[in-house]
Amino acid sequence: MNSIDYKNILVAVDGSEEAEWALKKAIYLAKLSDATLVLTHIVDTRNFPTIEAYDMTLRERSDAFANELLEKYKMEAVASGIVHVQTEVAYGSPKVQIPKDLAKKHSIDLIVCGATGLNAVERFLIGSVSEGIVRHSSCDVIVVRTNTDK
């Protein structure tokens, strides 16, 4: 395998600016190696039992947001020339779902994610999502910090 010859690239998106930067980088890399691009959004359900007691529609709104976001990014990837694009909404902890469950399910050999996301609490804590992905992944990981596609 060539150093940039990835076959299955997973990019985690949450609607944040840095996730969009990660998408641009993933599209660039997928074009270089004619890879399948797997777009995912993780609905973090760790707090749902508490929140759903007050807001019964939270799960439906989360699903709608995830599906709209992934469809938008899929159209962007296809418009950029990516032939093979898959999307998946997953539920649970992003730190577990991305590097363990989804990476295995899709035979991922590269994960691309933003350095920070929309979750301000996780950004503040040492145990951020991107750190969890790097720590628990068995494949290459690129953590994107800049707005460039190369």
Side-chain angles (χ1 to χ4, degrees):
M1 182 160 81
N2 190 328
S3 62
I4 58 166
D5 192 21
Y6 295 107
K7 298 298 178 210
N8 299 298
I9 299 172
L10 177 80
V11 60
V13 293
D14 64 1
S16 68
E17 184 176 46
E18 288 194 18
E20 293 197 14
W21 299 347
L23 175 67
K24 286 170 61 177
K25 178 82 70 178
I27 288 171
Y28 172 77
L29 293 169
K31 284 166 73 172
L32 280 180
S33 47
D34 193 29
T36 295
L37 187 61
V38 179
L39 308 172
T40 188
H41 177 80
I42 311 301
V43 177
D44 192 340
T45 57
R46 292 174 293 181
N47 295 323
F48 268 26
T50 306
I51 294 170
E52 280 188 323
Y54 302 102
D55 186 353
M56 298 302 282
T57 63
L58 181 62
R59 185 175 290 270
E60 290 94 20
R61 289 199 328 261
S62 296
D63 287 345
F65 171 80
N67 287 310
E68 288 171 22
L69 186 71
L70 291 177
E71 188 58 32
K72 171 186 153 193
Y73 289 153
K74 180 179 182 177
M75 289 179 6
E76 185 176 329
V78 169
S80 297
I82 304 300
V83 176
H84 305 287
V85 183
Q86 300 173 12
T87 61
E88 182 162 347
V89 178
Y91 303 87
S93 167
K95 294 181 209 178
V96 174
Q97 289 295 321
I98 295 166
K100 294 183 178 181
D101 300 340
L102 293 174
K104 184 176 182 180
K105 178 179 179 180
H106 295 281
S107 302
I108 298 299
D109 46 22
L110 176 66
I111 298 171
V112 182
C113 62
T116 62
L118 292 177
N119 188 332
V121 173
E122 294 239 357
R123 244 189 318 227
F124 177 74
L125 298 174
I126 296 295
S128 71
V129 171
S130 56
E131 181 187 1
I133 292 170
V134 171
R135 184 172 303 194
H136 298 292
S137 179
S138 59
C139 65
D140 291 351
V141 178
I142 295 177
V143 178
V144 179
R145 294 184 177 278
T146 58
N147 184 15
T148 177
D149 61 359
K150 296 181 178 142

